[in-house]
Structures are given as C-alpha cells and as structure tokens.
Amino acid sequence: MAKKRGTGMACIFYGIGYGNGFPDVSTALVEIHEDGSVTVRTGAADCGQGSSTILAQIAAEEIGVALDRVTVVAADTDATPDAGTTAATRQTYVSGNAVRLASRQAADKLLNFVARELGVNTIMGLKAADGYISVLGYPKKRISIEQAAAQAWLAGVRLVGEGTFTAHTTQLDENGQGAPYWPYAFGVQIAEVEVDTDTGEVKVLKIIAAHDVGRAINRGAVEGQIAGGVAMGLGLALMEEVLLREGQIYNPNLHSYLIPTTMDMPEVEPIIIEDPEPSGPYGAKGVGEPTTLPTAPAILNAIYNAVGVRLTELPATPEKVLKALKAKEGQHEHSH
C-alpha cells in the first residue's frame, strides 16, 4: 500500500449580493425603548449563519448600549420589513447597512433630545458609548442612555429609526461584459491531502483558508462560516453526488447521499483578511458562499500534486481516482 501526499491551492473572487442590476434592497426598523433597551426589526432570516447576532452588534455599537440590551426580531412577515432573501452572501452587507442607518436615526433623535440638557448646541458634540451619552472633551458631563430614553418617552418623543439600503449593481452589457457586483470578496485556500494509491481513497489532512471579509464584526462567527464553507466544499470534492436512474433520484436520503461528518473534517486554519470596504457597515462585506468555492479545486490540485492525475469530474471518489491512476499507468507502459 502506498500513500502519497500533495498540496494544492485555489483562489476565488465572488460578488456580494444579487448583482446584474437586480434590485438588492433591505429595510430595518430600530426602536430605543423607555428603559434604554433596543429592538431591531429586520426581515433577514438567520439560518444559523449568525446574522441576527451581527445585526444586534451593529445596533449596539451605533446606539452605544451593551449587546445584551438589544433584541432582534427577524423574518416575521407580520412584524418586520422586507430585507430580501438570505442568499448571495448579502445580509451582513445589505441588512447590516440598513440596521446601521436605522440605528443612527433612532440614536440621533435621542441625542437631539438631550443636547440642550447637556449644554451643547449640536449633537456633533456628543458621544454615545458604554451606556452613556457624554460631551466630547468633557466626559464628566454625561447622562445614562436609560435615563435619557425615559425622559424622552415622558416628553412624548418616540425614538424610532427606519433605514433602507440598496446595494449598487450594474447590469451586464449586450455581450455579457461588465462588473455586475459591488463589492467583491476574495479568498484563497491551500489543501494538503493523502492519496491511497491502492484504494483510491483521498484523505484531506488540512485546509488553510484565507478570506477577505472587509472587516470581521464577529471573528468567531467568521471562523465558523469558514469552517462550514470548507465542510461543504469537502463534500462537493469527495462524496456528494445526486444519482439519477430514469429520471428518478435513487439516493434521496442521508444514508445514501453522503455528506461530511466531523470525522471527515480536516484541520481548518482560518486566516481573516481585513481590508475595510468603504460602503460596508464598519467596513464589513460578507463571508458565506465564498468560503465554499476554493475548497474543491484546491483538493483536486492537491491530488494532482500527490499522484499526478488530473480529475475533471466531481466528486473525486476512490473509483474515479483508481481509474485515473490505472489510465496513467497504462499510458506510461504504452510509452515504453
């Protein structure tokens, strides 16, 4: 039995959002309550990727309250405005901007209310952070956001903000040329594999995944997205395949349609690249689908580096790897 190791690399770029001139809009509502707590209402569906956490962090930062003071009501068609689909790696960028705008509007209403009490003539002289509104350059003069919000409510001031953000996109020309997206995400992954030349089995030993996310609002969530994307790419590369017979799928269950488990996962080393995107919320873009794209080509390049066979059909099952190795061996014998 011979096991050979190899490394391979692949890089990608990916357009954030719907692109190609398609309307890409998100609206959010943010309200500061009389006790200083905050509610964010957004149509953005959190499918487990963590968008509700990100949107809460953005509102907390913009208004100046602790994260545990923010509640996110998401994806309720009876109570939340439209935020578009959770697709195209768009919610952090598009809905993040909408929440930031709505939070800024609500926060500015509160700042305007307390400006006179704090003796400033514009809200530009105020700063809201850590639960307090203070005077710039004279931080001892301050009022808690909880107290300020209560006074505003007693005075009949509703602290509600609404924000709508539309992502810039450009329709392709008649020749299919152009730059249909803005912004773009970039990434590169390096795979190390071990190929068993007797069985054709490919084992992925390690993936190094470097992704440009603009700015990581939540580093743990970004690392989770990278690991999840690598897992999906690993499945695409080595095991996932819809099998059809006379138009019928005959592996419709997870016992016959295989996906990676934790036992199949290699070590994943995430590298977060931060090059702030000026149009994104605090410089953030998005990280979702881009993390899936380079994994399979990086693994296939690593297989080629290990045993010298180029596979062009996915998944790279042991049968396909063995077939390619035998074809290569046959070519070698024929040339001699």
Side-chain angles (χ1 to χ4, degrees):
M1 183 171 68
K3 293 183 178 179
K4 296 186 176 180
R5 292 190 177 188
T7 58
M9 182 177 72
C11 53
I12 59 99
F13 70 98
Y14 179 91
I16 302 293
Y18 297 144
N20 198 27
F22 194 82
D24 196 344
V25 185
S26 177
T27 296
L29 297 172
V30 171
E31 182 170 6
I32 304 172
H33 302 288
E34 65 270 31
D35 63 353
S37 64
V38 176
T39 296
V40 175
R41 298 185 186 276
T42 171
D46 191 334
C47 308
Q49 81 278 23
S51 61
S52 290
T53 300
I54 298 298
L55 299 180
Q57 286 185 258
I58 290 172
E61 177 70 20
E62 200 68 25
I63 296 171
V65 298
L67 180 60
D68 62 6
R69 300 288 283 163
V70 181
T71 299
V72 176
V73 178
D76 182 341
T77 54
D78 193 41
T80 60
D82 186 18
T85 58
T86 294
T89 311
R90 59 184 289 280
Q91 290 296 8
T92 293
Y93 179 70
V94 183
S95 292
N97 269 318
V99 168
R100 188 179 186 187
L101 291 170
S103 300
R104 185 71 263 146
Q105 190 178 96
D108 282 350
K109 288 182 179 178
L110 183 59
L111 295 182
N112 275 306
F113 178 77
V114 300
R116 179 175 296 179
E117 180 175 337
L118 292 176
V120 298
N121 60 347
T122 74
I123 63 173
M124 293 179 63
L126 298 175
K127 177 184 178 181
D130 302 325
Y132 286 90
I133 299 170
S134 57
V135 177
L136 286 173
Y138 190 43
K140 289 183 178 179
K141 197 168 189 178
R142 67 179 190 174
I143 183 174
S144 72
I145 290 177
E146 182 177 341
Q147 183 180 355
Q151 291 179 5
W153 271 76
L154 288 173
V157 178
R158 293 292 306 277
L159 306 172
V160 178
E162 178 176 349
T164 296
F165 181 78
T166 302
H168 168 75
T169 68
T170 304
Q171 191 171 13
L172 294 173
D173 65 20
E174 64 275 13
N175 298 314
Q177 302 295 305
Y181 296 95
W182 188 269
Y184 287 85
F186 303 88
V188 60
Q189 292 184 10
I190 298 173
E192 182 183 9
V193 305
E194 185 177 77
V195 181
D196 188 323
T197 58
D198 289 335
T199 66
E201 182 182 9
V202 176
K203 184 176 183 180
V204 180
L205 303 174
K206 184 174 183 177
I207 297 283
I208 299 173
H211 288 272
D212 161 37
V213 301
R215 185 178 180 189
I217 291 176
N218 187 315
R219 295 187 70 85
V222 171
E223 290 175 355
Q225 287 279 68
I226 290 175
V230 168
M232 295 179 72
L234 180 73
L236 172 69
L238 300 180
M239 58 187 74
E240 294 189 45
E241 185 174 22
V242 175
L243 300 174
L244 296 171
R245 181 185 296 150
E246 297 180 349
Q248 298 292 318
I249 297 174
Y250 66 93
N251 62 338
N253 303 306
L254 290 177
H255 66 77
S256 53
Y257 180 95
L258 301 179
I259 63 173
T261 69
T262 53
M263 298 298 289
D264 299 304
M265 281 297 290
E267 176 189 356
V268 179
E269 180 181 333
I271 299 175
I272 298 173
I273 308 297
E274 293 187 287
D275 181 14
E277 161 56 39
S279 65
Y282 305 107
K285 293 192 285 191
V287 56
E289 289 139 309
T291 61
T292 296
L293 303 180
T295 309
I299 290 173
L300 295 187
N301 285 336
I303 294 172
Y304 178 75
N305 181 245
V307 295
V309 296
R310 179 66 74 185
L311 298 173
T312 57
E313 181 183 343
L314 295 175
T317 60
E319 293 80 7
K320 291 176 184 174
V321 173
L322 273 183
K323 183 178 179 181
L325 286 171
K326 289 179 179 178
K328 177 191 173 189
E329 187 177 333
Q331 290 177 354
H332 181 72
E333 291 175 353
H334 182 72
S335 65
H336 288 78

